[in-house]
Amino acid sequence: MAINWFPGHMAKTRREIKESLKLVDAVIEIRDARIVKSSANPDVDEICEGKPRIILLNKSDLSEKKVTNSWIEELTKDNIKVLEVNCITGEGIKNIRGALNELLKEKHDRLKNKGLVKIVDRVMVVGIPNVGKSSFINKMAKNNIAKTGDKPGVTKSKQWIKTNQNMELMDTPGILWPKFEDELVGLNLAFTGAIKDEIMDIETLALKLIELLQREYPENLKERYKLKELSDEAIKNMDEIGKKRGAMISGGEIDYNRVATMLLDEFRGGKIGKISLEKP
């Protein structure tokens, strides 16, 4: 199932972010905890050029705890802290300030030695589209997004957002992902709703999701849809789910579109259980 979706303004976005890096102390990158690898733009490492970074694994309430912990261990480095959060409820958000203090300790000590009491850090927020960036910024700004005034060298399109954590956030356009050379990356983004369903064949997408779940999370699939046994063929499992949920059309045929929509909605809402589609 080929997924080709490559917006053309990625180069401009990359250039803008690179130019803005000199204005910030650190970077907060947001990823989806269920697809930690697929929701990371591979260009971020290069663009951020060793800037202190916090990686937030958002939607961690929907992922498997032990897998998320493995990712935290895998990604943590000297200048990178990794935290699990839920940008909707705000869970884990309070840990950001402490992580930032650790990353910027040298800078803070230097400023304190000069007699500065209140230190405000400037932080750039990056992430692919639809990964929870807006929810995070709204939560940090207590749903009161306001410009803090244009700073020198900052174009009017960039927005500085005040928070009550002695932090100013620079919002950026979603860093768009490059072409999907790995089909699985495209599928993972589509499963989690990062690519709009309108441009997808959702029946095929749901079938691919069933294939993955019957292999990796068979008990979740059986329990959610009251299936006694699973077939090796995803289409047969899809048929059974349709029958159990009464998703039928006249003549006893399965309404595949209805099954697909329901299955994707329930997966994205966590109703099939805590699922991690990628492991370190």
Side-chain angles (χ1 to χ4, degrees):
M1 181 182 184
I3 298 172
N4 297 308
W5 194 67
F6 182 58
H9 47 292
M10 183 179 172
K12 182 179 175 235
T13 303
R14 286 183 86 234
R15 194 170 61 249
E16 278 179 14
I17 288 170
K18 213 162 185 177
E19 285 167 3
S20 303
L21 267 177
K22 60 182 177 286
L23 303 169
V24 301
D25 303 299
V27 172
I28 289 177
E29 179 194 357
I30 302 176
R31 302 189 193 180
D32 186 322
R34 297 165 296 177
I35 53 165
V36 176
K37 194 176 167 210
S38 295
S39 61
N41 186 297
D43 290 344
V44 166
D45 286 336
E46 182 208 326
I47 292 170
C48 290
E49 294 173 331
K51 275 269 180 192
R53 187 175 6 151
I54 296 174
I55 298 174
L56 299 182
L57 303 183
N58 187 29
K59 305 179 187 178
S60 59
D61 56 313
L62 301 176
S63 66
E64 245 190 297
K65 179 75 176 165
K66 65 177 183 187
V67 178
T68 302
N69 288 342
S70 297
W71 277 115
I72 291 171
E73 205 176 311
E74 170 92 3
L75 297 171
T76 300
K77 293 183 176 68
D78 283 345
N79 68 334
I80 298 176
K81 300 276 181 195
V82 189
L83 303 172
E84 51 178 307
V85 297
N86 181 332
C87 293
I88 301 291
T89 65
E91 196 173 340
I93 296 286
K94 66 180 187 300
N95 300 324
I96 293 171
R97 183 67 259 182
L100 200 58
N101 287 345
E102 284 183 51
L103 287 171
L104 300 176
K105 186 179 183 305
E106 214 174 281
K107 177 212 165 193
H108 290 175
D109 288 347
R110 198 169 59 245
L111 292 172
K112 281 172 188 168
N113 288 337
K114 288 180 179 176
L116 204 65
V117 180
K118 187 181 178 183
I119 299 167
V120 177
D121 295 310
R122 290 185 186 173
V123 181
M124 180 190 286
V125 183
V126 300
I128 66 169
N130 303 315
V131 84
K133 203 155 60 76
S134 299
S135 302
F136 167 70
I137 287 171
N138 286 337
K139 188 59 72 177
M140 290 293 285
K142 299 292 183 194
N143 302 314
N144 183 25
I145 292 181
K147 285 188 181 180
T148 64
D150 291 329
K151 310 281 185 191
V154 185
T155 63
K156 286 184 168 61
S157 65
K158 295 185 185 69
Q159 194 179 16
W160 289 94
I161 296 135
K162 281 181 177 170
T163 75
N164 61 1
Q165 295 191 29
N166 290 343
M167 207 187 299
E168 286 183 7
L169 302 178
M170 180 198 282
D171 192 10
T172 61
I175 297 186
L176 305 162
W177 45 79
K179 289 174 186 168
F180 305 132
E181 280 158 18
D182 182 349
E183 184 194 3
L184 194 57
V185 170
L187 283 172
N188 284 337
L189 290 164
F191 291 150
T192 54
I195 299 173
K196 290 186 173 68
D197 286 340
E198 290 77 18
I199 65 165
M200 305 296 302
D201 171 358
I202 68 158
E203 291 174 24
T204 305
L205 185 64
L207 200 60
K208 290 278 187 186
L209 181 59
I210 290 171
E211 274 175 20
L212 191 150
L213 293 175
Q214 71 190 36
R215 185 175 68 246
E216 301 291 336
Y217 292 91
E219 294 310 313
N220 294 51
L221 201 58
K222 285 199 283 191
E223 192 179 324
R224 179 64 190 169
Y225 298 107
K226 311 273 189 293
L227 306 173
K228 284 180 184 170
E229 292 299 327
L230 289 177
S231 167
D232 291 337
E233 295 176 51
I235 189 67
K236 288 183 178 174
N237 293 325
M238 197 171 183
D239 287 347
E240 280 304 308
I241 291 168
K243 287 173 193 166
K244 291 282 182 184
R245 289 297 180 89
M248 315 287 279
I249 46 180
S250 54
E253 295 284 315
I254 302 292
D255 186 341
Y256 288 112
N257 191 271
R258 195 171 143 203
V259 176
T261 303
M262 175 199 67
L263 188 89
L264 290 166
D265 282 350
E266 294 193 356
F267 166 72
R268 290 165 188 167
K271 290 176 181 171
I272 303 177
K274 292 179 185 291
I275 290 167
S276 296
L277 297 180
E278 292 177 322
K279 296 172 176 66

